[in-house]
């Protein structure tokens, strides 16, 4: 088994294209090798700003020989058909064999192909991959016809330590590359991947992007430890800066104190968006006036000139940000509200100003059901929540919406509850996002999401199987988290109708929430069929009560009594269903105690009556565990009934009463959940 090493060296590849390009190179070459009958043990792709590299281990030195049997026409077929078969196989008539089956005697060609050398296969497929490589954007250069993301300079193609000769648009494959553009620009030959990786490292190139990212992270940590700071973790930013350098060198600059009164989120957005600098915070969690430059160059002066240059550039950027901050505070948030009338929220749902009015009314209504929520604060927060969308800062950095509204509200002297609600009303934005807990924040966040859901469902813009352009699933999950994590006792159908939903839309939304709830609770180990079983009873719209009921049901079914009673339920239900179909009759109703004959059925009759009353009372008082205990007591009389009583008795009235008794088992258990929906 042998190794194949490929390197494509070019001008700088944009960082955003690098990871995908490495995956594409591995996929395309691997697929073509396997299609040629060449399996291998492992393939790895690497990328730097200037080079794509691929190493494939465990390749055979040649393709396997192939023997193919191809069935042709019958021996008595017309001469033209036989001649055509001979031409397609390249054989002569005497080289064919004759095979007889039940349909006659047929001509068969046995074609044996000797496998070609793997190097020859590579020499064919790699140029094909290069010419058809799926770059998002590519260019032509010089007089050639090849297109590549940036001008391609050289190609390493080594199989089993030897050059695989081919040519792509005048670029001949070889075994040489170059090191770092400035630190080690000389060319050198390599003998294989291990040599390639090690020699490049000596030439100031770390070819593995994961190593470069780790190197950056470790140096930031080291600087932080030495200076009492912590780097602000940002996986996406670290990936991006690792794609900008072949030899990361960490330098640290200082942010002018004149900018440190600008909100830290605004500084971080400006620095990250424009300059790609990692940042630091102090041990108390405050933004530190330090930024890191991930340089591609180890300068002779220790990086002083680089740092000075970057500090000047950063100061210019932050001057703009500070200008926005100062300018925005000159106009109160309330004065920006008329401008929201000029922004269309959705063509069928009106302007942003109209949405604000709807959300405000709903937030006030919801605050009456949220302990601790002040309706007037909810009204003020909801009314101002979208105002920062018309500020200069949010116009420049949209990710700061809500966050800047909080700062501007505090600057105007608004109550802290109002300011926090403005910042929190977009949350939670995903499974990992913090869920608001402050009462006013919860009221406004719920109102904003429910208004969106009711609005889009009302105009029939619902999510489809694969599309959710208005993020309605995320909004529903946000509502579920706000309700459950804050223990809110809300009747969702009433809330939907308060938000303007028609009865039909409200029911559609409730079903949508039931599905989202299954997704949310599945991650917490709650069975989806139990949610269906509880929801099926009465379209439960109080999520807290629904969850309590589901948890009690799950606890019951985890016991031996629960498992056996579920089995008895299914047995009783099946018997009743079959007999109802056979008799074209319904056996819903109460059994006549006087017409029961055996002690076991009389005992069951009595216990069903008691259990029914106890379960009803417990469910009404929301003591769901007590309701499960009540029906758990049915296990022994139910078992005794099935062990000793024949349901289909000869006497018609006795048989009818026994079937009614079985239907009472179903009715009693359905007081706590629809057991027919439970799997198992």
């Amino acid at each position: 088994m042998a190794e194949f090493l490929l390197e494509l060296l070019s001008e700088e590849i944009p960082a955003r294209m690098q990871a995908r390009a490495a995956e594409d190179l591995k996929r395309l070459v691997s697929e073509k090798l396997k299609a040629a009958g060449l399996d291998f043990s492992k393939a790895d792709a690497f990328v730097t700003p200037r080079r794509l590299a691929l190493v494939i281990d465990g390749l055979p030195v040649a393709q396997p020989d192939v023997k193919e049997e191809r069935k042709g026409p019958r021996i008595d077929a017309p001469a033209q058909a036989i001649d055509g078969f001979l031409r397609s196989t390249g054989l002569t008539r005497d080289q064919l064999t004759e095979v007889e089956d039940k349909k006659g005697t047929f001509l068969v060609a046995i074609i044996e192909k000797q496998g070609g050398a793997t190097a020859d296969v590579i020499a064919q497929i790699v140029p094909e991959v290069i010419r058809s490589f799926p770059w998002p954007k590519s260019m032509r250069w010089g007089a050639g016809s090849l297109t590549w993301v940036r001008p391609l300079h050289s190609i390493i193609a080594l199989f089993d330590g030897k050059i695989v000769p081919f040519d792509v648009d005048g670029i001949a494959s070889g075994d040489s590359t170059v090191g770092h553009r400035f630190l080690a620009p000389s060319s050198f030959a390599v003998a294989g991947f291990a040599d390639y990786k090690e020699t490049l490292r000596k030439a100031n190139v770390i070819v593995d992007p994961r190593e470069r990212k780790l190197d950056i992270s470790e140096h930031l940590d080291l600087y932080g430890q030495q200076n009492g700071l912590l780097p602000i973790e940002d996986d996406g930013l670290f990936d991006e800066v690792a794609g900008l350098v072949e030899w990361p060198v960490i330098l640290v600059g200082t942010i002018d104190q004149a900018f440190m009164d600008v909100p830290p989120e605004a500084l971080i957005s400006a620095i990250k968006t424009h300059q790609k600098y990692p940042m630091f915070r102090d041990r108390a969690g405050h933004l530190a006036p330090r930024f890191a430059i991930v340089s591609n160059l180890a300068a002779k002066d220790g990086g002083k000139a680089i740092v000075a240059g970057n500090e000047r550039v950063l100061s210019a950027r932050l001057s703009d940000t500070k200008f926005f901050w100062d300018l925005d505070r000159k106009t109160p948030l309330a004065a920006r509200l008329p401008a929201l009338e000029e922004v269309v929220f959705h063509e069928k749902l009106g302007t942003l100003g109209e949405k604000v009015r709807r959300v405000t009314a709903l937030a006030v209504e919801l605050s009456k059901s949220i302990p601790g929520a002040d309706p007037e604060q909810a009204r003020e927060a909801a009314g101002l929540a979208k105002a920062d969308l018309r500020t200069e800062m949010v116009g420049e950095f949209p990710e700061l919406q809500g966050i800047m509204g909080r700062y501007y509200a505090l600057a105007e002297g608004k109550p802290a509850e109002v300011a926090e609600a403005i910042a929190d009303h977009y949350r939670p934005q995903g499974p990992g996002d913090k869920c608001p807990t402050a009462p006013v924040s919860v009221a406004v966040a719920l109102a904003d999401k429910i208004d969106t859901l009711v609005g889009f469902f009302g105009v029939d813009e619902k999510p489809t199987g694969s599309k959710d352009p208005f993020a309605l699933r995320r909004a529903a999950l946000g509502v579920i988290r706000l309700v459950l994590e804050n223990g809110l006792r809300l009747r969702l159908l009433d809330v939907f109708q308060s938000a303007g939903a028609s009865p039909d839309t409200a029911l559609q939304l409730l079903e949508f929430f039931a599905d989202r709830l299954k997704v949310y609770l599945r991650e917490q180990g709650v069975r989806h069929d139990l949610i269906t079983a509880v929801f099926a009873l009465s379209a439960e719209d109080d999520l807290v009560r629904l969850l309590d009921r589901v948890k009690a049901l799950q606890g019951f079914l985890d016991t031996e009594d629960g498992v056996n009673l579920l089995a008895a339920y299914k047995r009783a239900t099946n018997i009743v269903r079959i007999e109802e179909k056979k008799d074209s009759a319904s056996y819903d109703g109460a059994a006549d105690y006087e017409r029961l004959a055996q002690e076991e059925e009389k005992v069951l009759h009595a216990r069903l009556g008691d259990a029914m009353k106890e379960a009803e009372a417990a469910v009404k008082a929301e003591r769901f565990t007590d309701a499960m205990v009540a029906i758990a007591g049915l296990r022994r009389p139910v078992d005794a009934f099935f062990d000793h009583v024949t349901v289909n008795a000869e006497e018609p009235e006795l048989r009818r009463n026994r079937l009614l008794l079985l239907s009472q088992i179903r009715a009693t258990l359905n007081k706590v959940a629809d057991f027919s929906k439970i799997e198992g």
Side-chain angles (χ1 to χ4, degrees):
M1 295 299 173
E3 173 195 271
F4 171 53
L5 170 64
L6 175 68
E7 185 208 59
L8 305 170
L9 181 76
S10 68
E11 297 294 325
E12 270 69 8
I13 306 167
R16 67 181 185 283
M17 299 183 188
Q18 291 175 12
R20 177 63 184 272
E23 285 301 312
D24 283 342
L25 181 64
K26 182 170 79 171
R27 174 179 57 81
L28 292 171
V29 175
S30 298
E31 286 176 355
K32 286 183 177 292
L33 287 172
K34 289 179 178 176
L38 292 168
D39 284 330
F40 49 84
S41 58
K42 185 181 177 185
D44 275 322
F46 305 91
V47 62
T48 78
R50 299 179 66 200
R51 60 197 91 213
L52 274 173
L54 173 69
V55 58
I56 297 179
D57 288 325
L59 275 168
V61 295
Q63 292 172 294
D65 295 340
V66 176
K67 183 177 181 180
E68 178 189 0
E69 282 191 14
R70 193 184 303 175
K71 188 177 181 181
R74 287 165 48 133
I75 58 172
D76 55 353
Q80 295 89 336
I82 295 175
D83 289 343
F85 182 62
L86 292 174
R87 284 195 297 275
S88 70
T89 60
L91 301 177
T92 59
R93 176 66 180 83
D94 59 337
Q95 291 176 306
L96 301 181
T97 58
E98 296 179 1
V99 175
E100 186 175 350
D101 63 19
K102 59 184 178 183
K103 292 185 179 179
T105 303
F106 290 83
L107 296 171
V108 173
I110 299 175
I111 304 169
E112 295 185 359
K113 290 183 180 176
Q114 186 175 3
T118 300
D120 293 340
V121 176
I122 291 172
Q124 180 184 345
I125 66 174
V126 171
E128 292 173 359
V129 168
I130 294 173
R131 290 192 178 95
S132 61
F133 202 79
W135 291 107
K137 289 184 178 179
S138 56
M139 61 180 290
R140 290 174 59 184
W141 62 96
S145 60
L146 178 66
T147 61
W148 197 247
V149 61
R150 296 288 185 273
L152 185 64
H153 287 309
S154 67
I155 302 170
I156 288 179
L158 285 176
F159 177 67
D160 203 15
K162 301 181 182 63
I163 296 172
V164 180
F166 58 83
D167 179 289
V168 180
D169 208 41
I171 305 170
S173 59
D175 61 356
S176 295
T177 186
V178 296
H180 190 281
R181 182 187 291 277
F182 306 112
L183 301 175
S186 302
S187 66
F188 50 85
V190 297
F193 179 68
D195 181 40
Y196 169 77
K197 188 176 179 183
E198 186 57 30
T199 310
L200 274 180
R201 182 178 287 276
K202 292 176 182 174
N204 302 98
V205 175
I206 300 175
V207 73
D208 189 337
R210 292 159 297 193
E211 285 187 41
R212 295 198 301 276
K213 183 179 175 183
L214 181 62
D215 187 80
I216 291 167
S217 183
E218 288 176 347
H219 278 86
L220 291 175
D221 285 340
L222 180 62
Y223 177 84
Q225 290 168 15
Q226 293 171 342
N227 294 275
L229 301 174
L230 293 168
I232 297 175
E233 295 295 332
D234 189 328
D235 208 45
L237 178 62
F238 288 8
D239 277 333
E240 187 169 4
V241 293
L244 297 173
V245 296
E246 290 198 312
W247 187 253
V249 177
I250 303 298
L251 304 170
V252 176
T254 301
I255 301 172
D256 192 321
Q257 281 295 332
F259 302 119
M260 294 307 290
D261 67 338
V262 177
E265 294 92 340
L267 290 179
I268 291 171
S269 285
I271 293 171
K272 175 181 174 181
T273 302
H274 296 306
Q275 299 303 121
K276 317 298 180 192
Y277 297 151
M279 306 279 291
F280 296 90
R281 58 183 170 84
D282 61 25
R283 299 288 178 184
H286 302 124
L287 184 67
R290 296 286 183 276
F291 66 93
I293 306 154
V294 182
S295 172
N296 193 35
L297 187 64
K300 293 179 180 177
D301 66 352
K304 290 181 182 177
I306 295 174
V307 170
N310 279 271
E311 286 177 342
R312 283 195 298 275
V313 172
L314 184 62
S315 289
R317 292 292 191 184
L318 295 187
S319 292
D320 292 342
T321 306
K322 182 173 172 52
F323 173 76
F324 293 149
W325 166 241
D326 294 336
L327 181 65
D328 286 342
R329 283 181 294 163
K330 293 177 180 175
T331 304
L333 286 173
R336 298 183 184 277
L337 295 180
L340 297 181
E341 306 295 342
E342 302 165 3
V343 181
V344 176
F345 172 63
H346 184 274
E347 59 178 354
K348 296 178 182 176
L349 298 174
T351 67
L352 209 49
E354 290 173 293
K355 178 175 174 62
V356 167
R357 287 190 285 279
R358 293 195 303 268
V359 171
T360 301
L362 185 57
V364 172
E365 185 67 24
L366 285 169
S367 64
K368 298 172 184 173
S369 304
I370 299 173
D374 183 314
E376 285 309 308
Q377 288 184 340
R379 184 194 307 279
E380 185 171 22
L384 298 175
K386 306 292 184 186
D388 69 351
L389 294 176
R390 301 299 282 174
T391 62
E392 297 295 330
M393 188 74 86
V394 175
E396 181 74 8
F397 305 111
E399 68 274 19
L400 296 179
Q401 56 187 297
I403 295 170
M404 294 312 301
R406 170 181 174 274
Y407 283 108
Y408 296 138
L410 289 173
E412 292 177 29
K414 301 291 183 189
E417 293 84 353
V418 172
E420 295 301 330
I422 292 172
D424 285 345
H425 87 280
Y426 291 108
R427 308 180 86 171
Q429 296 192 36
D433 193 23
K434 183 182 176 184
C435 183
T437 56
V440 177
S441 296
V442 172
V444 180
L446 273 175
D448 186 40
K449 293 170 178 58
I450 289 172
D451 174 76
T452 298
L453 287 159
V454 168
F456 282 109
F457 267 70
V459 297
D460 203 24
E461 293 280 2
K462 304 167 197 163
T464 60
S466 60
K467 294 183 179 177
D468 184 13
F470 305 110
L472 300 186
R473 293 189 179 94
R474 188 175 71 185
L477 284 171
V479 172
I480 289 170
R481 285 190 60 192
L482 284 162
V483 170
L484 292 182
E485 294 185 25
N486 291 288
L488 300 181
R489 302 304 304 271
L490 296 175
R491 299 297 304 265
L492 285 181
L493 286 174
D494 293 344
V495 173
F496 296 153
Q497 289 178 6
S498 296
S502 67
D504 182 54
T505 299
L507 286 174
Q508 291 178 34
L509 271 169
L510 192 59
E511 290 181 11
F512 184 66
F513 268 75
D515 289 339
R516 295 301 95 206
L517 188 64
K518 291 175 192 172
V519 173
Y520 174 70
L521 293 179
R522 185 186 303 143
E523 296 170 0
Q524 301 179 21
V526 179
R527 288 166 48 177
H528 68 90
D529 57 328
L530 303 190
I531 299 170
T532 303
V534 172
F535 191 77
L537 269 189
S538 57
E540 175 66 88
D541 65 343
D542 181 333
L543 298 183
V544 172
R545 187 168 60 198
L546 185 149
L547 186 57
D548 286 347
R549 208 160 172 159
V550 167
K551 287 180 176 175
L553 182 59
Q554 183 155 348
F556 172 61
L557 291 174
D558 286 342
T559 66
E560 186 180 350
D561 282 348
V563 173
N564 287 336
L565 208 55
L566 176 61
Y569 171 91
K570 291 183 179 296
R571 184 178 177 185
T573 305
N574 284 336
I575 292 171
V576 172
R577 179 175 51 79
I578 292 168
E579 297 307 314
E580 283 180 334
K581 186 177 180 182
K582 189 191 302 178
D583 300 345
S584 298
S586 170
Y587 290 108
D588 277 333
D592 184 349
Y593 178 80
E594 299 300 329
R595 291 183 178 276
L596 298 175
Q598 293 182 220
E599 183 63 19
E600 290 83 1
E601 56 190 330
K602 291 180 179 178
V603 170
L604 176 59
H605 182 274
R607 284 298 303 135
L608 279 170
D610 294 342
M612 175 84 82
K613 292 176 185 173
E614 292 171 20
E616 277 182 338
V619 168
K620 190 174 181 181
E622 300 187 11
R623 293 182 285 103
F624 302 114
T625 300
D626 290 346
M628 300 299 163
V629 170
I631 64 172
L634 291 172
R635 181 193 164 183
R636 291 185 184 282
V638 167
D639 287 348
F641 178 87
F642 282 122
D643 288 344
H644 300 287
V645 178
T646 301
V647 176
N648 286 317
E650 293 293 334
E651 184 185 340
E653 275 304 311
L654 183 58
R655 171 176 175 271
R656 181 172 180 278
N657 265 290
R658 288 175 175 171
L659 287 170
L660 287 171
L661 201 56
L662 291 183
S663 75
Q664 280 184 260
I665 297 175
R666 178 176 62 188
T668 305
L669 268 64
N670 281 353
K671 288 295 175 187
V672 294
D674 185 346
F675 277 64
S676 68
K677 305 293 184 186
I678 299 174
E679 298 173 359

